[in-house]
Amino acid sequence: MSLVTGTPEERQSVLRTLTSPRLLKTEVLAGLVVALALIPEAIAFSIIAGVDPRLGLFASFTMAVTIAFVGGRPAMISAATGAVALVIAPLVASHGVDYFIASVLLGGALQIVLALAGVARLMRFIPRSVMVGFVNALAILIFMSQMPELVGVPWLVYPMAAVGLLIVFGLPRLTNAVPAPLVAIVVLTLFAVVARAGVPDVGDKGELPESLPTLFFPDVPLTAETLGIIFPFALSLALVGLLESLMTAKLVDDVTDTHSDKTRESWGQGVANIVTGFFGGMGGCAMIGQTMINVKASGARTRISTFLAGAFLLILVVSLGDVVALIPMAALVAVMIFVAIVTFDWHSVRPATLRRMPKSETAVMLATVVVTVWTHNLAIGVGVGVLTAMVMFARRVARFVTVERKVIGGGEEAFARYTVDGELFFASSNDLSTQFEYTEDPRHVVIDLGSSHLWDASTIAALDAIQEKYRRMDKDVKIVGLNEASTLMRTRLAGKLNAGGH
């Protein structure tokens, strides 16, 4: 083990990094690259939300700096995001910026409440196929978001973007001393200035702020009517922000081979949004693109890079705005296309992988990708993916239930013994009643559930229906073999699920 790099867990130590010039340089340069990449993104998201670009830039500064201290995932970048801009934009159009900021504050408070309620534990119910779909969909969305920058632009943009891609992909093969994205940005900026290239630059995206953010209190009446207006938007912000942040945190866990505190990350996002709101920011959440620049492209691992990304952002736009405005968009497009390519899980779409993977898993992944890309809404895409996974799982498990019939003895002593094997729940028990030979069976019937488990009320209702059919034929039914949990459920619900039950 190298004394310089250490284990993945040791590499996340802020104190250790501060005492290592090599590691500290990596964090500082990573923060600078992320800050440069954040500027046009924050401006673009502000435009989507219908607010002044300063709200997006201030949000990116306050989110990054705050989450560096309170977040649960080191090296993850939180800032103004398109997901938040999309869900909250209608409120700006209908009620203005003050209501918009009030919803950001309430959204942050809701995130803290959800965190304390244990929302992070729900991550265990998101299957791997949904996670792969989430990653692939975001890679596609990152790539698609750069396409407008390559349409209707001077021809010189294309060779510049190609050179940028060559640098970010090729330089790491020669040296990792300086992050390749930073080199690409500097080289292409110098070329654009010296050659007077006349290509679109950051300055074309919007006016950069010339002063520090100040405390802001939204001018809205504190009434139930105001709450009714902002609550739906605040709840959407809270849910979308937490979902994107927790899934990005899980992705970074995998990339860095470390574990993060998802509950802390959840309430940390809430705190960051509240701080952002009080400084007039538009709110946000974790950003997978900038996080991948920080972690994968630049090699950062600690909270230092997250803090410096926010600090550098503020310094760049306030003190060096004229210089930042000269950065050609071609350089940032090259960096973001690189991020999209390295983020996409190419292994998941290889023919060999698809042949080995169960069709249901592939269907879940594709459903997540298609819906996320189609709606541009992560929450909807992941929700559809999880729902698809549940349906596929239920269908697969339902097929494993078998019913075997055996008639034992003869005459008055004869009885039919049914052995049911498998998990009984709504998907597998709905057609359970069709697997019994009601008219053919002798007067006595035994249903052995020793190899089964009763999971829900649908199963109890199905057993009640089976017993009722036999009762109408004057036949006696005995259910045996139930385990303790199934016995308790049946005792509590049997005979009480039909319209006349009590």
Side-chain angles (χ1 to χ4, degrees):
M1 181 186 71
S2 168
L3 294 175
V4 176
T5 56
T7 66
E9 289 76 15
E10 291 171 343
R11 181 65 180 82
Q12 293 185 155
S13 168
V14 170
L15 182 60
R16 189 170 180 276
T17 301
L18 289 173
T19 58
S20 168
R22 178 179 170 182
L23 296 180
L24 184 58
K25 182 193 72 171
T26 298
E27 300 293 315
V28 172
L29 294 178
L32 179 58
V33 174
V34 171
L36 291 170
L38 276 173
I39 294 170
E41 295 275 307
I43 295 173
F45 296 147
S46 300
I47 294 171
I48 290 173
V51 297
D52 189 296
R54 286 176 294 183
L55 270 69
L57 291 166
F58 288 159
S60 295
F61 158 65
T62 51
M63 286 287 297
V65 169
T66 304
I67 210 67
F69 291 97
V70 300
R73 173 63 261 176
M76 192 166 77
I77 305 297
S78 291
T81 60
V84 169
L86 285 169
V87 300
I88 211 164
L91 182 60
V92 181
S94 62
H95 288 83
V97 172
D98 285 286
Y99 280 83
F100 170 79
I101 299 299
S103 68
V104 171
L105 293 170
L106 179 58
L110 289 174
Q111 287 179 327
I112 294 175
V113 172
L114 289 169
L116 297 177
V119 70
R121 288 194 292 271
L122 296 178
M123 283 297 293
R124 73 182 69 175
F125 296 108
I126 297 181
R128 180 186 176 279
S129 51
V130 174
M131 188 68 194
V132 173
F134 157 79
V135 170
N136 290 347
L138 281 179
I140 293 170
L141 288 175
I142 291 170
F143 182 83
M144 289 172 58
S145 70
Q146 303 309 306
M147 291 304 100
E149 306 297 339
L150 299 175
V151 176
V153 294
W155 69 269
L156 194 55
V157 168
Y158 303 110
M160 288 179 67
V163 171
L165 285 170
L166 187 63
I167 292 173
V168 293
F169 278 107
L171 186 62
R173 298 176 183 273
L174 302 176
T175 178
N176 288 313
V178 181
L182 179 60
V183 174
I185 292 170
V186 171
V187 168
L188 292 179
T189 302
L190 289 174
F191 170 79
V193 172
V194 173
R196 297 183 180 180
V199 295
D201 54 33
V202 171
D204 297 328
K205 285 294 179 182
E207 184 180 350
L208 300 178
E210 297 178 352
S211 62
L212 297 174
T214 56
L215 285 175
F216 178 88
F217 296 93
D219 183 17
V220 297
L222 300 178
T223 63
E225 182 182 358
T226 299
L227 181 62
I229 293 170
I230 67 173
F231 184 82
F233 295 96
L235 183 60
S236 296
L237 181 151
L239 294 175
V240 169
L242 282 181
L243 185 59
E244 186 158 355
S245 298
L246 291 175
M247 295 195 74
T248 302
K250 190 174 186 302
L251 176 61
V252 178
D253 289 353
D254 294 338
V255 171
T256 60
D257 195 25
T258 55
H259 176 71
S260 60
D261 187 338
K262 304 300 188 300
T263 298
R264 177 177 173 179
E265 185 61 43
S266 299
W267 63 256
Q269 290 290 327
V271 171
N273 271 305
I274 290 174
V275 171
T276 295
F278 278 127
F279 278 96
M282 61 178 280
C285 60
M287 300 185 76
I288 188 169
Q290 276 65 22
T291 297
M292 288 297 101
I293 291 175
N294 195 45
V295 174
K296 214 164 188 178
S298 303
R301 291 292 183 272
T302 76
R303 300 173 185 275
I304 297 173
S305 60
T306 306
F307 172 81
L308 290 178
F312 279 142
L313 172 66
L314 189 65
I315 294 170
L316 288 170
V317 298
V318 173
S319 303
L320 301 172
D322 293 339
V323 176
V324 171
L326 298 175
I327 297 174
M329 288 304 300
L332 297 174
V333 167
V335 171
M336 295 309 294
I337 289 177
F338 164 75
V339 169
I341 292 171
V342 298
T343 299
F344 195 90
D345 187 348
W346 296 100
H347 177 76
S348 67
V349 295
R350 288 176 184 166
T353 303
L354 295 175
R355 282 195 300 269
R356 287 193 298 266
M357 194 68 64
K359 288 183 174 58
S360 59
E361 297 280 321
T362 302
V364 170
M365 187 263 285
L366 289 175
T368 306
V369 171
V370 170
V371 175
T372 302
V373 173
W374 181 38
T375 63
H376 284 233
N377 190 313
L378 172 68
I380 296 176
V382 171
V384 169
V386 171
L387 183 61
T388 304
M390 290 170 59
V391 172
M392 294 291 186
F393 175 77
R395 285 187 60 193
R396 191 163 61 248
V397 173
R399 294 197 192 105
F400 296 152
V401 174
T402 60
V403 179
E404 293 185 2
R405 174 180 181 267
K406 183 183 292 185
V407 177
I408 302 172
E412 288 295 321
E413 301 298 323
F415 67 94
R417 185 179 187 88
Y418 288 89
T419 303
V420 182
D421 187 356
E423 304 300 311
L424 295 175
F425 63 112
F426 61 90
S428 59
S429 61
N430 279 342
D431 63 349
L432 186 64
S433 62
T434 65
Q435 302 186 51
F436 290 80
E437 304 289 344
Y438 300 98
T439 57
E440 303 295 327
D441 283 340
R443 193 166 182 276
H444 300 286
V445 178
V446 175
I447 302 176
D448 185 357
L449 298 175
S451 299
S452 303
H453 185 94
L454 312 186
W455 286 104
D456 59 9
S458 295
T459 304
I460 306 300
L463 292 175
D464 285 351
I466 292 168
Q467 286 184 296
E468 179 63 18
K469 281 189 178 184
Y470 277 117
R471 187 188 66 77
R472 288 174 182 170
M473 296 179 182
D474 198 27
K475 296 181 180 181
D476 175 57
V477 180
K478 183 183 293 185
I479 296 177
V480 300
L482 288 173
N483 58 36
E484 184 178 354
S486 299
T487 300
L488 288 173
M489 176 177 284
R490 186 161 181 268
T491 301
R492 189 170 66 252
L493 297 177
K496 300 175 184 177
L497 297 173
N498 58 26
H502 299 286

